[in-house]
Amino acid sequence: MKYKDGKPSTHPDKSSGTVPVAIMFVVLCGLSFYLGGLFCSEKEKYTTVNVKDAVESPKLNSTSPLQVKDVSFPECGLEYQDYTPCTDPRRWKKYGMHRLTFLERHCPPAFERKECLVPPPDGYKLPMRWPKSRDQCWYRNVPYDWISKIKSNQHWLKKEGEIFLFPGGGTMFPNGVGKYVDLMQDLIPAMTDGTIRTALDMGCGVASWGGDLLDRNILTVSLAPRDNHEAQVQFALERGIPAILGIISTQRLTFPSNSFDMAHCSRCLIPWTEFGGIYLLEIHRILRPGGFWVLSGPPVNYENRWKGWNTTIEEQKSDYEKLQDLLTSLCFKFYKKKDDIAVWQKSLDNNCYKKLDSPDNYPTKCDDGTEPDSAWYTPLRPCVVVPDQKYKKLGLKSQPKWPQRLHVAPERVADVRGGSGGAFNQDDSKWKTQVKHYKKLVPAIGTDKIRNVMDMNTMYGGFAAALVDDPVWVMNVVSSYASNTLAVVFDRGLIGTYHDWCESFSTYPRTYDLLHLDGLFTTESHRCEMKYVLLEMDRILRPNGYAIIRESSYYVDSIATVAKGMKWGCREEETEYGGDKEKILICQKKLWYSNTKQPSR
C-alpha cells in the first residue's frame, strides 16, 4: 500500500465543506475535462432504448466554480469492443514470457490513452437478468466460440442458436459442479455452517464453481488472466458472478493478507512447487489462519489420473511429495483427501512459524521491509508472511459466522487511521440510511435489473452491507493511496480489491450494472484526470447501467457536463440530509450501436 507515505485518505471529513479555489487548480481541472478526441473517429450518432427507469438529462446551474465547456467523445472502432487497457493483447509482445509476466497489468502510457467510447459488439442485447443469467447468456454479447469448441467435452458451455448455455461443467467436474462441491463440503463441514464466507478461485474457467457457491452463502472472487481462452472473466461477469482479471506471476495479488477463508485451484496448471514455491507463499499470505487450500487436478490422485496427464506415475508421485513438503514448511496441515480433491489448512498456531527463525531454513520469515497488506504492484517475495500475533480474533474459528460477522466491528478496524468499533458502527448505520435514499432515487436497485455492483472507493464496505439482502454482489474497491480498510471489508465477509483510479480497472467492458462513488473526485482529482476516470466508468458500465456519484457540489455540474459528452443522461438530486455542500448525481448510460463496419476475424 502507498498510504504510509503520507498520501491523503480517500475518505476525508466531509463536514468541513472546504473546496479548492486556487485559480491555477481551476484552470488545470478545466483543461483535464476539455482535452479529448485525439485517437478515434468523430461519429456521434447513437441509438437509445427507451427504459422505464431511464433518467433525464440534468438541469444544471452555473454556481460551480469549476467551469467546463461542453465536450463530446467519438466512438472507438469496433476492434476495441472488448478493450482492456492494462491487459491488452496488442501490447503483450513488449513484455517477457518468464512466468507469464506479459499477462500481468501493463497499463499504456498517458500519450496512448484512448479518449473514445468503447462500442458494444454488433448485435449486443441487454444482458439476461439474474438468476436466469447464471445458466445462459446472449452469444452476441460475448461472441467467442473458442471455449465452446475446445472445452466441449468438459461442458464449460455450449452454444444453441443465439444463446450460450452453462451446464456447470469444468475440467475436473465435466458432469457438473454441484456434485463436485457436494464432495468438497463432505470434506470441509465449515462450508455449510457459515464459518467459510469468502473464497478465491484461481484459474476460474467460466466461474461455475463460484456460481454454485453463491447458493451456499459463500462469496467467491473468480480470478483468471486474459489468455487464449479469450473471455473467461467476461463470461463470468456476463453471468452475474463475481470475477476479476488477474494472474499470479511476479506480483502480489491485489488483496490484503489473512483475508480469504478458502482458496481453490481446479487444474489451474499453476506450477505450485516451482520458483521456490513462491506462488504457494502468496496463497499462504492471503489466507487467514485456519483457512483452507483446496486443490484438484495434478498431482492429486496421480495414482489413477497420471495416464491422462502425459507424464509418468513416478513424476507425479514426486510432484505430490514435493507439494506436501512445501505446504508443511509453510505451516499448512494436511486436512482431508478424497478422489480428485485434496485439502490443506493454514495453521492457527503461530508457534509453527518458530522453525522459520533458523538461518538455514527455507522459506524464511519476511522482514519488515514490505508490509503484509502491500499489494499494488508489489513484487512477490520468497518468504513467509507470518500473521501478527497481536490479532487474537483473526483466525477462521474466531470469526463470527455468517451473517453475524457482517455487522460486527472487526479487530483490524483499530489499525485504520481514526478507526474504532464506534466509527465502524456509525458508518454501518449511515449507509443503511443512505442506501434507503438511493433506492428512492433509483427504483431499479433491489430488482433484477441490477446484479453486478461496484463501490469505487469504499471505506468499510457499508454500502455493500446495506445491499446484502438484495439480488446483487458488490466489488468493494479501496484506493492504493487510501488507508488500508480492505482488510476490514474481508473480515466482515465481503469481497474487494485494491486499485488506483488513475489506471484502468482489471475487467472487461460492459461488466457492471451499477457504479457507486462517494467523494472520489474530491479526493483523487489532484492525481487523476477526471476525464479518464469517467471514460473508464463508461467502459466498464453496461448499457442502461447506472452511476450514483456522490460528490462535493464543487464537482457535480462539471461531472455532469462530461457525462453528457459520453451519451449519459444525468440528473442532480439532494442527499438524504439536504444542504448545498454535497450533491448526488444519478446517471444512466444509454445503449448505442457503432456505425463502423464489424472487423474481420
Side-chain angles (χ1 to χ4, degrees):
M1 295 288 292
K2 300 175 182 176
Y3 63 91
K4 291 293 184 181
D5 64 0
K7 301 292 183 180
S9 165
T10 56
H11 307 280
D13 181 1
K14 295 180 181 176
S15 64
S16 65
T18 59
V19 294
V21 294
I23 296 176
M24 182 60 69
F25 180 79
V26 171
V27 172
L28 290 175
C29 289
L31 286 174
S32 74
F33 280 117
Y34 182 69
L35 296 176
L38 299 179
F39 294 97
C40 303
S41 64
E42 297 182 354
K43 294 181 174 63
E44 291 299 327
K45 297 181 180 179
Y46 58 89
T47 304
T48 61
V49 172
N50 292 324
V51 181
K52 183 178 180 181
D53 295 323
V55 293
E56 298 176 355
S57 298
K59 297 179 180 179
L60 302 176
N61 58 58
S62 57
T63 60
S64 170
L66 179 62
Q67 299 298 319
V68 177
K69 295 181 179 180
D70 288 343
V71 62
S72 62
F73 297 97
E75 65 180 58
C76 306
L78 269 175
E79 67 271 22
Y80 287 96
Q81 65 188 27
D82 290 328
Y83 183 45
T84 54
C86 296
T87 51
D88 187 358
R90 299 172 183 85
R91 306 179 73 243
W92 283 352
K93 62 182 180 181
K94 297 182 179 181
Y95 307 102
M97 293 289 294
H98 177 65
R99 286 166 54 180
L100 302 179
T101 54
F102 69 96
L103 292 175
E104 292 184 307
R105 287 178 60 88
H106 301 286
C107 297
F111 65 87
E112 289 185 12
R113 285 179 173 176
K114 299 298 177 186
E115 298 183 19
C116 52
L117 307 179
V118 175
D122 185 40
Y124 178 88
K125 298 181 180 181
L126 296 180
M128 294 184 182
R129 295 178 179 175
W130 183 266
K132 184 179 181 181
S133 63
R134 175 164 48 187
D135 300 319
Q136 54 186 275
C137 74
W138 298 114
Y139 165 72
R140 290 295 177 185
N141 289 12
V142 194
Y144 303 117
D145 295 319
W146 190 93
I147 298 179
S148 178
K149 294 175 181 177
I150 300 300
K151 299 289 185 179
S152 60
N153 64 319
Q154 296 164 7
H155 307 295
W156 284 24
L157 73 165
K158 61 180 180 179
K159 185 174 180 291
E160 291 188 359
E162 289 302 307
I163 292 176
F164 272 130
L165 300 177
F166 300 93
T171 306
M172 296 306 301
F173 38 93
N175 296 320
V177 67
K179 292 182 179 179
Y180 176 81
V181 178
D182 287 343
L183 174 59
M184 197 175 296
Q185 284 189 166
D186 291 341
L187 297 175
I188 313 173
M191 292 176 65
T192 64
D193 65 359
T195 300
I196 292 177
R197 167 60 180 172
T198 58
L200 176 68
D201 188 16
M202 304 288 299
C204 64
V206 293
S208 293
W209 187 75
D212 182 88
L213 288 179
L214 289 171
D215 285 338
R216 308 176 195 236
N217 281 323
I218 296 176
L219 192 58
T220 303
V221 177
S222 294
L223 184 77
R226 178 160 184 166
D227 62 0
N228 60 356
H229 289 187
E230 284 192 307
Q232 296 177 82
V233 166
Q234 192 173 20
F235 274 118
L237 290 162
E238 188 71 16
R239 299 175 69 185
I241 301 171
I244 191 171
L245 283 167
I247 185 173
I248 184 168
S249 177
T250 67
Q251 298 169 2
R252 283 181 173 180
L253 299 175
T254 56
F255 312 113
S257 62
N258 306 297
S259 51
F260 287 96
D261 304 331
M262 178 168 62
H264 169 256
C265 163
S266 172
R267 206 173 195 274
C268 56
L269 302 180
I270 296 173
W272 297 111
T273 59
E274 294 183 17
F275 311 113
I278 199 165
Y279 301 142
L280 270 178
L281 285 164
E282 179 64 356
I283 295 298
H284 177 277
R285 183 186 72 86
I286 65 172
L287 271 180
R288 70 175 63 252
F292 294 93
W293 168 232
V294 183
L295 180 65
S296 65
V300 177
N301 200 14
Y302 67 87
E303 302 93 337
N304 300 311
R305 292 283 194 178
W306 68 271
K307 290 183 179 179
W309 295 339
N310 298 319
T311 184
T312 66
I313 190 171
E314 290 79 13
E315 289 177 345
Q316 287 300 301
K317 180 181 179 181
S318 176
D319 287 347
Y320 187 72
E321 291 172 348
K322 289 178 182 177
L323 180 65
Q324 283 273 41
D325 290 344
L326 178 59
L327 286 164
T328 300
S329 72
L330 300 181
C331 292
F332 279 94
K333 293 182 179 180
F334 181 75
Y335 192 74
K336 290 180 183 178
K337 177 177 176 294
K338 186 174 182 181
D339 297 336
D340 294 321
I341 301 175
V343 183
W344 290 265
Q345 186 176 26
K346 181 176 174 178
S347 178
L348 284 161
D349 183 6
N350 270 17
N351 289 326
C352 172
Y353 299 104
K354 291 182 179 179
K355 64 185 179 182
L356 303 181
D357 292 331
S358 170
D360 298 326
N361 188 78
Y362 181 85
T364 60
K365 290 182 182 179
C366 290
D367 56 29
D368 295 330
T370 301
E371 296 177 4
D373 290 352
S374 177
W376 186 247
Y377 293 121
T378 303
L380 291 178
R381 302 176 66 202
C383 57
V384 179
V385 175
V386 178
D388 195 328
Q389 294 190 37
K390 75 177 182 180
Y391 300 120
K392 306 303 181 184
K393 299 179 181 180
L394 189 59
L396 188 59
K397 290 184 178 179
S398 301
Q399 294 289 311
K401 294 184 177 180
W402 181 262
Q404 287 77 22
R405 67 192 280 188
L406 181 64
H407 299 294
V408 175
E411 187 178 23
R412 289 193 278 187
V413 74
D415 288 341
V416 178
R417 185 172 54 209
S420 65
F424 174 89
N425 293 331
Q426 184 179 14
D427 183 82
D428 203 32
S429 177
K430 176 190 74 173
W431 280 108
K432 289 177 182 177
T433 300
Q434 292 182 175
V435 167
K436 184 177 180 180
H437 183 62
Y438 289 164
K439 288 184 175 182
K440 293 179 181 178
L441 302 180
V442 184
I445 300 175
T447 73
D448 61 3
K449 294 180 181 179
I450 292 177
R451 172 62 185 170
N452 302 348
V453 179
M454 179 186 289
D455 193 3
M456 294 176 61
N457 59 323
T458 193
M459 182 68 170
Y460 298 132
F463 173 74
L467 292 172
V468 71
D469 293 326
D470 292 335
V472 303
W473 64 270
V474 180
M475 180 63 72
N476 293 281
V477 180
V478 171
S479 171
S480 59
Y481 278 83
S483 294
N484 177 25
T485 61
L486 191 56
V488 175
V489 171
F490 274 94
D491 284 349
R492 66 190 303 190
L494 303 171
I495 58 173
T497 182
Y498 297 121
H499 184 64
D500 179 355
W501 283 110
C502 296
E503 299 181 1
S504 175
F505 192 77
S506 296
T507 191
Y508 282 87
R510 304 172 302 279
T511 46
Y512 283 88
D513 300 300
L514 173 64
L515 301 177
H516 171 260
L517 62 86
D518 178 17
L520 177 65
F521 296 118
T522 299
T523 307
E524 299 284 357
S525 62
H526 68 290
R527 297 192 310 107
C528 311
E529 282 196 63
M530 289 179 287
K531 170 183 62 177
Y532 290 116
V533 177
L534 287 163
L535 283 170
E536 176 64 3
M537 291 171 66
D538 180 79
R539 185 185 72 88
I540 67 178
L541 191 62
R542 285 173 167 174
N544 282 6
Y546 295 89
I548 300 177
I549 301 172
R550 189 184 190 97
E551 268 297 345
S552 160
S553 300
Y554 179 80
Y555 289 98
V556 168
D557 290 353
S558 303
I559 293 169
T561 300
V562 179
K564 182 179 179 182
M566 300 190 305
K567 307 174 184 179
W568 289 13
C570 298
R571 71 175 189 269
E572 185 178 307
E573 297 284 357
E574 298 289 329
T575 68
E576 59 282 350
Y577 309 114
D580 295 327
K581 294 181 180 179
E582 190 178 51
K583 298 293 182 181
I584 298 174
L585 199 63
I586 304 295
C587 298
Q588 188 176 34
K589 177 180 175 178
K590 298 176 181 179
L591 173 60
W592 56 272
Y593 296 95
S594 175
N595 291 318
T596 60
K597 186 178 180 181
Q598 180 75 21
S600 58
R601 293 187 180 276

